[in-house]
Amino acid sequence: MGHIKYASDVGAPVEVAFSYADNHLFVPDWMFGIARFAPTGEIDHGLGAVFATTACVALWRTTMTCEITEYRRNVVIGYTLRGRLSGTLTLRFDPLGYGRSVLTSEAEYVPPRGFVGRMSVGLMDSVVKSALRRTESQLRREIEEFHGTDLVGRIA
C-alpha cells in the first residue's frame, strides 16, 4: 500500500477550516479531479455519509463511491474511495494559535497488481503525490478565502 503525507499552515482557525472541509458542496472545488460529489442517502456529513463521486482526470472519467469512515468534529475527516480508484484521504486539523491551524493531508492507495502494476509503481506514486499536493494546496486556498469573507462573520 502506498502512503503519502503533507502538512501545511492554514490562515484560519481549526473550526473554520474544518467547517469548510466538512461541507460536501465544496468538495469539487478543492479535491483534485472530482467533478461531482453528491450524497446518496439521508446523511450528508459525518461518519457513515456516502457520496456518489465522479472523477475526471484529463480525458478519463469514472464513477465511484466515497464514504466518510473517520470523523471527529474539528479534528479529522477520513474519506474512503471505492471503485476503479480506491484508497483513503485523511484530513487532520490541529490548532496553531493566533487564528491559524495546521492541515495534514494523508493518502493511502493500493498500487496496481500484476507485472504491469509492479512496473508502474513509480508512475503511480508520482501521480498520487501530485494529486494530493494539488488537493492540499487548493483546500488551503479555499479555506483562507472562505475565512476572509463575511460567511464566517469577517470581512477581509
Side-chain angles (χ1 to χ4, degrees), residues 108-119:
E108 290 187 359
Y109 60 95
V110 179
R113 295 184 182 168
F115 178 73
V116 173
R118 284 192 302 271
M119 298 302 288

Side-chain angles (χ1 to χ4, degrees), residues 4-38:
I4 299 166
K5 182 177 181 177
Y6 289 115
S8 64
D9 181 350
V10 179
V14 168
E15 297 79 18
V16 173
F18 187 90
S19 293
Y20 183 85
D22 191 30
N23 190 331
H24 74 279
L25 298 174
F26 298 141
V27 171
D29 295 338
W30 57 264
M31 194 179 288
F32 177 75
I34 300 301
R36 185 174 146 265
F37 197 80

Side-chain angles (χ1 to χ4, degrees), residues 1-150:
M1 179 163 281
H3 181 262
I4 299 166
K5 182 177 181 177
Y6 289 115
S8 64
D9 181 350
V10 179
V14 168
E15 297 79 18
V16 173
F18 187 90
S19 293
Y20 183 85
D22 191 30
N23 190 331
H24 74 279
L25 298 174
F26 298 141
V27 171
D29 295 338
W30 57 264
M31 194 179 288
F32 177 75
I34 300 301
R36 185 174 146 265
F37 197 80
T40 59
E42 299 276 327
I43 303 171
D44 67 353
H45 73 282
L47 192 62
V50 178
F51 302 89
T53 307
T54 302
C56 298
V57 180
L59 298 175
W60 186 61
R61 186 179 196 91
T62 188
T63 303
M64 59 195 151
T65 60
C66 180
E67 181 179 355
I68 297 179
T69 53
E70 188 175 2
Y71 186 89
R72 281 179 292 164
R73 183 108 182 111
N74 295 332
V75 177
V76 66
I77 303 174
Y79 299 94
T80 299
L81 298 171
R82 295 184 182 96
R84 292 194 67 184
L85 295 174
S86 60
T88 62
L89 171 65
T90 305
L91 304 173
R92 296 189 192 288
F93 303 86
D94 295 300
L96 193 56
Y98 303 107
R100 302 188 71 76
S101 54
V102 175
L103 168 63
T104 305
S105 307
E106 288 184 77
E108 290 187 359
Y109 60 95
V110 179
R113 295 184 182 168
F115 178 73
V116 173
R118 284 192 302 271
M119 298 302 288
S120 65
V121 167
L123 176 63
M124 181 72 162
D125 283 344
S126 165
V127 168
V128 173
K129 281 180 185 177
S130 176
L132 182 61
R133 176 56 88 187
R134 287 181 177 187
T135 294
E136 178 269 332
S137 65
Q138 185 63 32
L139 178 56
R140 182 176 36 82
R141 280 193 297 271
E142 293 285 334
I143 289 169
E144 289 171 349
E145 185 177 317
F146 176 74
H147 183 57
T149 66
D150 60 359

